[in-house]
Amino acid sequence: MRRGLVHVLAWSLATGAAVTLSWWGVHTVMAGTVYDRPRALPITAADATTQESKPLASSTNRPTPSKGPSSPAPKPTGQPRTPTPSKPPAKTPSHSPTTSGQVKSYDTDGGRVVFDIGESSAALVSATPGAGWSMQVWKTETWIRVEFGAGADRVSVFCTWHDGPPRVEIGNY
């Protein structure tokens, strides 16, 4: 009986030491891999009042886009949609010194795009695809394109400033 108790005690001590050593090793390695949380744009009272007029969708419960006759898909007209202006973030992006800090967001069927639009250029602040949509971004010196895709559906948001002040065009394909 005493011999069995000694074995159980020795096994418990060895297991405890192994778990402690493993935890310490993993903790030491993982401590340097912590990332900063993503920043979100502040919501102002003006934004809250404009959002009240349309239903809000959560990331877990989004309405499915219908292509039926009751809600036909809008055709690209070449005219930009009316942006939902929002207040500029506390600091402007460091990679775009020519932007004015006028932040505008554009809601589409595929997701939401936010640009920092200046007098002669623009910068992409964020692009968030909707549930079930994927996203691609292309950037050059004179334009930015964000494309959302779900199956055969495509929604593109173009911001161009190559021949004048920045302008945004949205097209469903």
Side-chain angles (χ1 to χ4, degrees), residues 7-172:
H7 285 321
V8 168
L9 182 64
W11 177 84
S12 297
L13 288 174
T15 303
V19 168
T20 303
L21 183 63
S22 297
W23 178 87
W24 179 78
V26 170
H27 175 70
T28 304
V29 170
M30 297 301 289
T33 61
V34 176
Y35 296 101
D36 292 336
R37 298 182 80 181
R39 291 185 351 189
L41 293 175
I43 297 177
T44 63
D47 290 340
T49 58
T50 59
Q51 291 291 329
E52 289 174 4
S53 62
K54 57 185 175 182
L56 299 174
S58 72
S59 62
T60 57
N61 186 16
R62 289 208 182 242
T64 56
S66 65
K67 296 287 183 184
S70 62
S71 63
K75 296 193 174 160
T77 61
Q79 298 294 329
R81 289 187 184 176
T82 306
T84 306
S86 60
K87 201 170 190 176
K91 59 182 180 177
T92 57
S94 60
H95 64 280
S96 58
T98 59
T99 59
S100 69
Q102 183 180 8
V103 177
K104 293 185 180 180
S105 66
Y106 301 88
D107 290 319
T108 68
D109 294 338
R112 183 176 190 173
V113 179
V114 180
F115 291 110
D116 183 2
I117 299 181
E119 292 181 20
S120 61
S121 67
L124 179 65
V125 175
S126 68
T128 308
W133 291 78
S134 61
M135 178 187 73
Q136 287 185 307
V137 177
W138 294 270
K139 294 181 185 180
T140 70
E141 298 277 328
T142 57
W143 56 267
I144 300 170
R145 176 183 176 189
V146 179
E147 182 180 89
F148 299 107
D153 297 329
R154 297 283 181 256
V155 178
S156 288
V157 181
F158 284 98
C159 182
T160 60
W161 59 91
H162 57 82
D163 58 354
R167 65 184 180 281
V168 176
E169 297 177 12
I170 299 172
N172 295 333

